[in-house]
Amino acid sequence: MSESSGSALPAGRPSRQPFVHQETLSLDSSCFSSPPVNFLQELPSYRSIARRRTTILSRDKQSGTLLKPTDSYSSQLEGGMTENLDSQSIRKYALNISEKRRLRDIQETQMKYLSEWDQWKRYSSKSWKRFIEKAREMATHLELWREDIRSIEGKFGTGIQSYFSFLRFLVLLNLVIFLIIFMLVLLPVLLTRYKITNSSFVLIPSKGMDIQCTVYPISSSGLIYFYSYIIDLLSGTGFLEDTCLFYGHYTIDGVKFQNFIYDLPLAYLLSTVAYLALSLLWIVKRSVEGFKINLIRSEEHFQSYCNKIFAGWDFCITNRSMAELKHSSLRYELRADLEEERIRQKIAERTSEETIRIYSLRLVLNCIVLAVLAACFYAIYRATIFSQEHMKKEIDRMVFGENLLILYLPSVVITLANFITPTIFAKIIHYEDYSPGFEIRLTILRCVFMRLATICVLVFTLGSKITSCDNYSCELCGYNQKLYPCWETQVGQEMYKLMIFDLIIILAVTLFVDFPRKILVTYCSSWKLFQCWGQQEFAIPDNVLGIVYGQTICWIGAFFSPLLPAIATLKFIIIFYVKEISLLYTCRPSPRQFRASNSNFFFLLVLLIGLCLAIIPLTISMARIPSSKACGPFTNFNTTWEVVPNTVGTFPSSLQSLVYGVTSEAFAVPFFMIICLVMFYFIALAGAHKRVVLQLREQLSLESRDKRYLIQKLTEAQRDMRNRLD
């Protein structure tokens, strides 16, 4: 045995043989018919590595390079750690306390051989990292609704907790948007109006425009009728129309301070660009982690099964009923996965006739979906036109309810469409023969498109009415000045009404539907009708679509109504407490639960779609539709965007050349090519990381095969030993 093992060792290394008891030696030789080295060479992982080394060695010999022997894993780990001690904290390593103390001693020993400058840099870096960690710990205690969200997480799991965390994110986002608009637009105006600073308004100079375009009659009927204040408060008309809530209030060219003139039109436009860019960057930043997790989980179906079985439990749950619900949710997910496997197998076995039949059926059903969407959009279009044509009547000709219905007719039609279409889509999807997971995703996407597209239809309908004239020439002012003397304010009023009506609907459904339903189901449970009706489910996707709908309204309306983000902030705060009370006392969680990572990514994806849809009408209104000549800071500009080239024209000639060069095609084409190269680099880097992940998965598989092989050999050795003893 010693000869064989000595011959198997590499040349140049001394053969060290420890003292081994004779019984152990005889056991090893009897149990394993080959020497120890040959036994290790039988492991599956060793064979795989040997094949790879043979391939690499032959390749390196052809290229003129040689392979160097590698050290042991522990030495590599220690060397890598000692090299990275400067950049990473010892706390990040998965080691026991003794190993961390040893590494800390090594770190302190290395510090003695550094220069004073290097020592100061290392100590300052440590102090800064410690300060950042303490600041983050303090920030966690200052989080909004921290205890409430933790309580919800403990009772209902991370899926519902992610909804309330998403609602908190929207509160903070709208608060930051309001602060941006307040600092750039409202603050200079308020400081001047209330004489807080030594400043004055710069009035907009007249450029010889027709006086008919500058007429802006503001209704004052709210002072006559007792219910006019309620109508004005709900619709944004009357006493609210000429306040800082709407665009028409800011009819000044700038604010003159002691040393400079504050350009209000430019600040107004920059505030809009700033809050849209901030929203985009913030959403993308938060969605990166969820995208990574979803990308990893979508790699392999077997991994999905393992995650659900071995890592699917939510350890934040402390309530027994929620634990039972989580059990049923995991069973539902496993059944859904098995159903998807069955459908994939069914698709693979599907004949050409069946394929043609199912695709024809899907084509017909999608045509029905498009017809439903078209009908909803046409209803919104007709309701908007009817409301705009009749809202100019004298208020004394209409009763209170009729006037309010005319004002809120587009909002009512949009709300009815949002309630009816999800039910229709849920019925249609069952006949399209999709997998359960894809059914949910497709239904949600259709509902997202329905909810968000209705806002765009409303805005585009208003835009068509603004730029079209029936028996009146629009050439004088560029828009329908007779019906829309300050069209930006009237668009802001429509967004304001949508925001208020959405809040009223949420409160009404909770107070007059959810609470009575809970009472009837609880105290009249013997009635079969109420048993079939059941308790209201807290459906996460529906609630998310509702608040994303409100946020999209805020993004579109913030340009036309600068205080709308503040109203949205208050609205989402109210919704948080209303939904929390509804969840705790009237609703039950949905059996189709969402993981927190999946939920966060889905929420942010829907929010990003809403932001993209909000940017489209804003861009068209600022770049294509002529600005009002009777109100607002852009009365002397043909369009809102025209303030940018006018401002660039006031720059020095060298700076103008730089700006024109950056915005020219000569700069745009190379910049686009560089961006493409950077994108290709990251794509290649992602491919390399994916290959590393595949190798690590293969390594894990080989390790499991090694364990099975060793257990098999150990079992055989124990069996032979028992036979020999018998």
Short mmCIF file of all heavy atoms in Angstrom, two decimals, residues 7 116 137 183 224 238 265 270 273 293 361 410 412 424 575 587 665 667 684 691:
data_model
loop_
_atom_site.label_atom_id
_atom_site.label_comp_id
_atom_site.label_asym_id
_atom_site.label_seq_id
_atom_site.Cartn_x
_atom_site.Cartn_y
_atom_site.Cartn_z
N SER A 7 4.04 5.92 -5.14
CA SER A 7 4.15 6.10 -6.58
C SER A 7 3.10 7.02 -7.13
O SER A 7 3.29 7.64 -8.16
CB SER A 7 4.02 4.73 -7.27
OG SER A 7 2.75 4.19 -6.98
N GLU A 116 2.66 57.12 7.70
CA GLU A 116 1.68 57.86 8.49
C GLU A 116 0.49 58.29 7.63
O GLU A 116 -0.65 58.31 8.09
CB GLU A 116 2.35 59.09 9.12
CG GLU A 116 3.41 58.74 10.15
CD GLU A 116 4.01 59.97 10.78
OE1 GLU A 116 3.61 61.09 10.36
OE2 GLU A 116 4.86 59.84 11.68
N GLU A 137 -28.33 53.09 11.01
CA GLU A 137 -29.09 52.56 12.13
C GLU A 137 -30.07 53.59 12.69
O GLU A 137 -31.21 53.27 13.03
CB GLU A 137 -28.13 52.09 13.23
CG GLU A 137 -27.33 50.85 12.86
CD GLU A 137 -26.37 50.45 13.95
OE1 GLU A 137 -26.38 51.12 15.01
OE2 GLU A 137 -25.61 49.48 13.76
N MET A 183 -39.59 74.84 -3.81
CA MET A 183 -38.34 75.60 -3.78
C MET A 183 -38.12 76.38 -5.07
O MET A 183 -37.63 77.52 -5.05
CB MET A 183 -37.17 74.65 -3.55
CG MET A 183 -37.18 73.97 -2.20
SD MET A 183 -37.05 75.12 -0.81
CE MET A 183 -35.38 75.70 -1.05
N ILE A 224 -72.28 83.52 -4.13
CA ILE A 224 -73.73 83.73 -4.17
C ILE A 224 -74.47 82.55 -3.56
O ILE A 224 -75.32 82.72 -2.69
CB ILE A 224 -74.19 83.97 -5.62
CG1 ILE A 224 -73.47 85.21 -6.19
CG2 ILE A 224 -75.69 84.14 -5.69
CD1 ILE A 224 -73.75 85.44 -7.67
N GLY A 238 -64.11 78.43 -9.17
CA GLY A 238 -64.51 79.49 -8.26
C GLY A 238 -63.36 80.10 -7.50
O GLY A 238 -62.38 80.57 -8.09
N PRO A 265 -40.39 81.54 -15.58
CA PRO A 265 -40.76 80.54 -16.62
C PRO A 265 -39.74 79.41 -16.74
O PRO A 265 -40.14 78.23 -16.84
CB PRO A 265 -40.83 81.38 -17.89
CG PRO A 265 -41.12 82.75 -17.43
CD PRO A 265 -40.42 82.90 -16.13
N LEU A 270 -38.10 73.81 -15.47
CA LEU A 270 -37.06 72.94 -14.88
C LEU A 270 -37.61 72.12 -13.72
O LEU A 270 -37.15 71.00 -13.49
CB LEU A 270 -35.88 73.79 -14.42
CG LEU A 270 -35.00 74.40 -15.51
CD1 LEU A 270 -33.87 75.22 -14.91
CD2 LEU A 270 -34.44 73.31 -16.42
N VAL A 273 -39.18 69.06 -15.33
CA VAL A 273 -38.16 68.13 -15.79
C VAL A 273 -37.47 67.46 -14.61
O VAL A 273 -37.16 66.26 -14.64
CB VAL A 273 -37.14 68.87 -16.69
CG1 VAL A 273 -36.01 67.94 -17.10
CG2 VAL A 273 -37.83 69.44 -17.92
N ILE A 293 -33.35 39.41 -8.51
CA ILE A 293 -33.93 38.22 -7.87
C ILE A 293 -34.86 37.49 -8.82
O ILE A 293 -34.83 36.26 -8.92
CB ILE A 293 -34.65 38.63 -6.58
CG1 ILE A 293 -33.64 39.19 -5.57
CG2 ILE A 293 -35.40 37.47 -5.98
CD1 ILE A 293 -34.27 39.76 -4.32
N LEU A 361 -58.80 30.95 -31.52
CA LEU A 361 -59.63 31.36 -30.39
C LEU A 361 -59.03 32.55 -29.65
O LEU A 361 -59.73 33.49 -29.27
CB LEU A 361 -59.82 30.17 -29.44
CG LEU A 361 -60.66 30.42 -28.18
CD1 LEU A 361 -62.08 30.83 -28.56
CD2 LEU A 361 -60.66 29.19 -27.29
N PRO A 410 -66.55 62.80 -16.56
CA PRO A 410 -65.40 61.98 -17.01
C PRO A 410 -64.84 61.11 -15.90
O PRO A 410 -64.48 59.94 -16.15
CB PRO A 410 -64.39 63.04 -17.48
CG PRO A 410 -65.20 64.25 -17.79
CD PRO A 410 -66.32 64.24 -16.81
N VAL A 412 -66.44 59.86 -13.33
CA VAL A 412 -67.38 58.76 -13.07
C VAL A 412 -67.25 57.67 -14.13
O VAL A 412 -67.22 56.47 -13.81
CB VAL A 412 -68.82 59.31 -13.02
CG1 VAL A 412 -69.83 58.17 -12.97
CG2 VAL A 412 -69.01 60.22 -11.83
N ILE A 424 -64.43 41.54 -16.75
CA ILE A 424 -64.53 41.00 -18.12
C ILE A 424 -63.23 40.31 -18.52
O ILE A 424 -63.24 39.21 -19.10
CB ILE A 424 -64.88 42.13 -19.09
CG1 ILE A 424 -66.25 42.73 -18.74
CG2 ILE A 424 -64.89 41.62 -20.53
CD1 ILE A 424 -66.62 43.93 -19.57
N ILE A 575 -54.95 57.05 2.66
CA ILE A 575 -55.15 55.70 2.14
C ILE A 575 -54.40 54.68 2.99
O ILE A 575 -54.89 53.56 3.21
CB ILE A 575 -54.69 55.64 0.67
CG1 ILE A 575 -55.68 56.40 -0.22
CG2 ILE A 575 -54.58 54.20 0.18
CD1 ILE A 575 -55.26 56.48 -1.67
N CYS A 587 -61.05 42.87 5.99
CA CYS A 587 -60.59 42.06 4.85
C CYS A 587 -59.84 40.83 5.33
O CYS A 587 -59.36 40.77 6.47
CB CYS A 587 -59.69 42.89 3.93
SG CYS A 587 -60.53 44.26 3.12
N GLU A 665 -26.07 66.88 -34.03
CA GLU A 665 -25.93 65.50 -34.48
C GLU A 665 -24.48 65.04 -34.42
O GLU A 665 -24.21 63.85 -34.22
CB GLU A 665 -26.45 65.36 -35.91
CG GLU A 665 -27.95 65.62 -36.05
CD GLU A 665 -28.42 65.51 -37.47
OE1 GLU A 665 -27.54 65.27 -38.34
OE2 GLU A 665 -29.62 65.65 -37.73
N PHE A 667 -22.41 65.52 -32.15
CA PHE A 667 -22.13 64.99 -30.82
C PHE A 667 -23.03 63.80 -30.50
O PHE A 667 -22.60 62.87 -29.81
CB PHE A 667 -22.34 66.09 -29.77
CG PHE A 667 -22.15 65.63 -28.35
CD1 PHE A 667 -20.89 65.54 -27.81
CD2 PHE A 667 -23.25 65.28 -27.56
CE1 PHE A 667 -20.70 65.12 -26.50
CE2 PHE A 667 -23.08 64.86 -26.26
CZ PHE A 667 -21.80 64.79 -25.72
N ALA A 684 -21.75 41.62 -22.30
CA ALA A 684 -20.71 40.58 -22.26
C ALA A 684 -20.35 40.23 -20.82
O ALA A 684 -20.13 39.06 -20.48
CB ALA A 684 -19.47 41.06 -23.01
N ARG A 691 -22.07 32.53 -16.98
CA ARG A 691 -21.27 31.30 -17.10
C ARG A 691 -20.67 30.90 -15.77
O ARG A 691 -20.58 29.71 -15.44
CB ARG A 691 -20.18 31.52 -18.15
CG ARG A 691 -20.70 31.53 -19.58
CD ARG A 691 -19.56 31.44 -20.58
NE ARG A 691 -18.72 32.63 -20.54
CZ ARG A 691 -18.92 33.73 -21.26
NH1 ARG A 691 -19.96 33.79 -22.08
NH2 ARG A 691 -18.11 34.76 -21.17
#
